[in-house]
Amino acid sequence: MATAPSRHHDRRISPVFLGIVAVMAVSGWAVWTSYAASRGLAVFLFVTSAWVVSLCLHEYAHARTALHGGDITIGAKGYLTLNPLKYTHAALSIVLPVIFVIMGGIGLPGGAVFIERSRIRGRWRHSLISAAGPLTNVAFAIVCTAPFWLGALDGVPYDFRVALAFLALLQVSAAILNFLPVPGLDGYGIIEPWLSHAARRQVEPFAPFGLLAVFGLLWIPEINSEFFRLIYAILDALGVSDLEAAAGRSLYQFWPDLTLAPQG
């Protein structure tokens, strides 16, 4: 009987996460109503807070799937509370991805929750735990683009529309990057259980550098251009034009140029 309250506490939604959701709601309302004094600042707060919410849900999906897969230590680590401060590397999981959004408008994946893989039985379970995170980004992208591919944009204010388009861009880019079969990223975690023991041992030393390698490659203009061409093609298939996504990005990065973007 003494363990029940502890388990309930381990799964109680964190006030930190609720605070982030509150910022998202208030700033989203400000973008929708044009109540804020600065359009760019309102879009910045809305997209950034929504992006952090998606990061929390991404890590929660990993943790929840691991819990059902057999790692019963997940709850005690605080991963089920959606509190980003409980992650193994909070700076890598939250701060770094936000910095990349601010700098380059790229939804770069962050660090991960620590899962005791030895408690998980079955290769399919290991793969599903790794896939759960980026699939959350896919779901988030579908939700963000739903008004576009459903043709339900009548009455949606311009700023809110382009903010959603840019947020969808971040989710699509995060999903693509996370699914890359690069050591240290979720894509590699999906295929790793199916590799031979020798192959895994050879790749293991490179895992800490996988994210840095992806970051370095994205700084190469030709690769960056092809990467965004793929993102815009996916967004176009979801009903979001590249002009809308670019307008949202421009409005989000309001600090270089404080002149207002033309509405349309």
Side-chain angles (χ1 to χ4, degrees):
M1 297 293 293
T3 59
S6 177
R7 287 200 299 268
H8 178 72
H9 176 74
D10 290 343
R11 303 182 188 192
R12 185 180 302 161
I13 298 179
S14 164
V16 175
F17 178 76
L18 293 177
I20 298 170
V21 172
V23 172
M24 180 183 72
V26 172
S27 56
W29 171 81
V31 173
W32 183 282
T33 61
S34 300
Y35 183 79
S38 169
R39 294 169 57 205
L41 179 59
V43 169
F44 174 83
L45 291 174
F46 171 60
V47 172
T48 300
S49 57
W51 171 238
V52 174
V53 166
S54 74
L55 292 174
C56 292
L57 293 174
H58 175 113
E59 302 299 349
Y60 176 83
H62 283 309
R64 190 77 190 191
T65 310
L67 175 67
H68 291 292
D71 185 0
I72 59 175
T73 69
I74 288 294
K77 294 169 185 171
Y79 298 155
L80 301 178
T81 66
L82 291 163
N83 185 352
L85 302 179
K86 294 291 185 178
Y87 299 150
T88 307
H89 300 289
L92 190 61
S93 295
I94 299 296
V95 178
L96 193 61
V98 169
I99 290 176
F100 276 109
V101 170
I102 293 173
M103 290 177 56
I106 297 175
L108 196 69
V113 295
F114 177 71
I115 296 169
E116 296 188 16
R117 292 281 183 169
S118 61
R119 295 176 178 268
I120 310 298
R121 294 290 179 265
R123 290 183 291 182
W124 281 107
R125 288 181 179 178
H126 283 280
S127 295
L128 183 58
I129 290 169
S130 295
L135 286 176
T136 302
N137 294 112
V138 172
F140 217 104
I142 292 174
V143 171
C144 290
T145 58
F148 297 87
W149 49 265
L150 288 175
L153 290 171
D154 290 343
V156 177
Y158 170 82
D159 287 359
F160 194 86
R161 183 168 78 243
V162 299
L164 277 183
F166 179 55
L167 184 57
L169 181 150
L170 297 179
Q171 300 301 328
V172 170
S173 63
I176 293 173
L177 292 173
N178 268 290
F179 275 125
L180 291 176
V182 175
L185 298 182
D186 292 328
Y188 177 74
I190 294 171
I191 66 172
E192 183 183 25
W194 307 90
L195 301 177
S196 67
H197 181 69
R200 280 181 281 173
R201 283 182 61 105
Q202 290 179 336
V203 172
E204 187 176 357
F206 300 99
F209 310 104
L211 187 60
L212 293 177
V214 170
F215 167 66
L217 289 173
L218 286 175
W219 278 100
I220 300 175
E222 294 79 9
I223 295 179
N224 186 280
S225 177
E226 290 301 318
F227 177 67
F228 273 101
R229 184 175 288 111
L230 174 61
I231 292 174
Y232 285 130
I234 294 173
L235 289 176
D236 184 67
L238 293 171
V240 180
S241 70
D242 55 349
L243 292 178
E244 288 171 314
R249 178 178 178 178
S250 177
L251 200 54
Y252 176 86
Q253 296 175 326
F254 66 96
W255 47 91
D257 184 2
L258 296 180
T259 58
L260 299 182
Q263 297 191 19

